[in-house]
Every structure is written in structure tokens, then in C-alpha cells.
């Protein structure tokens, strides 16, 4: 789907919403539904770390938050990327409760191991997966290999 400036897809509770950030990464959320006529998404924040530059892509004080859909960006698309291989869990019976249970809990945001895409797929499918990380991991791993070997990472 090509993103157009004023193109907003029809959303259903439990849909994964992708907000493109640059050519490599997007921010992901799960459509929660409307509250007082305002559409909301649940997402894993990545900016709540005490440090200004998260160490190795980690922000220690991230959390799942509910925010208005367009607060995260005006350009977005539905990306239920695992629908062909995994059944979506029931929103009202499972996903909504999982989101509500996570609200306000401290979560470690880690670009490789627990990012917004991981959280969104975990809510929708019960499976933790990040396609964007799989694409760039082959470039990240060689750069970190020496740091792993010297136990600096």
C-alpha cells in the first residue's frame, strides 16, 4: 500500500498500525478503538529512558501507552504482516485485556530484542517477531561482533 498524505485506511480493533519513520524503521502500534470519538492506539514507547541517547538501542523505562492515533503521525498504514501464517487473537477476549494489563508497566525497549514491532505482533498474534530487524540484523551483527567477543556489549 502506498502511503498518501490524506489516505487513512479503515481500522479494526487489533489491527497493527505502521508509522514509517525512515527507509529502515517504522514505529508500530495496535489499534485499540475509539474513546469519546477519538481513535486510539496502544504502543511501546521508546523515548522514556533516563539517558538522552539510549545505550545500544535500549531505553530502560519504556511502557505501553494509549495515545490518539494521529499523535504518532499522520501517515500510517495497516500492516497485519503475519496474518498469512498466524491467526490473529480475539481482540475483545484476549488482546484488549493484554494491553490493559501492560499499561503503566515498565518495559525494556531494545531495538533488537523488544521493540514496538515485537510488542504489536505479541499483542495481535501471541508471537514476538520483527521483520524490520530481520532485514537489518545482517548489517548490525558484524559491527557488534568484536564488542561481543571482548565482552563489552
Amino acid at each position: 500500500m502506498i502511503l498518501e498524505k490524506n489516505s487513512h485506511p479503515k481500522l479494526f480493533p487489533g489491527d497493527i498500525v505502521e508509522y514509517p519513520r525512515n527507509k529502515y524503521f517504522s514505529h508500530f502500534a495496535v489499534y485499540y478503538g475509539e474513546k469519546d470519538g477519538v481513535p486510539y492506539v496502544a504502543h511501546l514507547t521508546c523515548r522514556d529512558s533516563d539517558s538522552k541517547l539510549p545505550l545500544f538501542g535500549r531505553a530502560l523505562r519504556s511502557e505501553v501507552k494509549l495515545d490518539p492515533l494521529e499523535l504518532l503521525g499522520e501517515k500510517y498504514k495497516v500492516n497485519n504482516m503475519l496474518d498469512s501464517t498466524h491467526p490473529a487473537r480475539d481482540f475483545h477476549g484476549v488482546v484488549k485485556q493484554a494491553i490493559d494489563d501492560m499499561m503503566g508497566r515498565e518495559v525494556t525497549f531494545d531495538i533488537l530484542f523488544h521493540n514496538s514491532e515485537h510488542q504489536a505482533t505479541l499483542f495481535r498474534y501471541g508471537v514476538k517477531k520483527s521483520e524490520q530487524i530481520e532485514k537489518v540484523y545482517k548489517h548490525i551483527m558484524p559491527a557488534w561482533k568484536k564488542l561481543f567477543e571482548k565482552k563489552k556489549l
Side-chain angles (χ1 to χ4, degrees):
M1 174 181 196
I2 297 173
L3 295 176
E4 296 174 16
K5 188 169 181 134
N6 295 315
S7 171
H8 292 147
K10 175 106 174 113
L11 298 170
F12 298 94
D15 278 345
I16 294 176
V17 181
E18 179 179 357
Y19 297 88
R21 296 298 190 230
N22 61 40
K23 79 180 207 179
Y24 299 107
F25 292 104
S26 294
H27 187 72
F28 293 84
V30 173
Y31 183 62
Y32 190 82
E34 290 189 4
K35 292 169 74 176
D36 298 322
V38 176
Y40 277 82
V41 291
H43 67 109
L44 181 64
T45 64
C46 60
R47 296 184 183 150
D48 296 332
S49 175
D50 284 339
S51 60
K52 289 184 181 179
L53 183 65
L55 182 64
F56 303 116
R58 291 189 181 127
L60 299 177
R61 289 195 179 162
S62 294
E63 65 179 326
V64 172
K65 288 179 67 178
L66 274 185
D67 279 314
L69 173 74
E70 290 192 359
L71 181 69
L72 301 182
E74 291 182 11
K75 293 182 179 181
Y76 57 85
K77 65 181 179 179
V78 172
N79 187 353
N80 296 324
M81 71 282 281
L82 301 179
D83 276 6
S84 63
T85 57
H86 294 79
R89 302 191 306 168
D90 178 66
F91 180 79
H92 294 288
V94 178
V95 179
K96 184 179 183 302
Q97 185 63 48
I99 290 169
D100 292 345
D101 288 347
M102 287 294 296
M103 298 287 286
R105 286 192 192 176
E106 206 169 272
V107 179
T108 298
F109 179 98
D110 184 305
I111 194 74
L112 291 179
F113 306 112
H114 196 81
N115 61 49
S116 64
E117 187 178 12
H118 287 123
Q119 189 66 60
T121 60
L122 198 54
F123 282 144
R124 181 171 175 85
Y125 305 106
V127 173
K128 190 173 170 179
K129 188 164 177 68
S130 177
E131 291 180 347
Q132 64 185 354
I133 293 304
E134 290 174 10
K135 289 176 189 170
V136 299
Y137 193 72
K138 64 183 175 187
H139 302 289
I140 295 170
M141 195 55 202
W144 287 6
K145 187 175 181 181
K146 287 181 185 174
L147 292 171
F148 277 122
E149 289 170 353
K150 294 179 183 178
K151 298 185 184 195
K152 292 186 175 184
L153 184 62

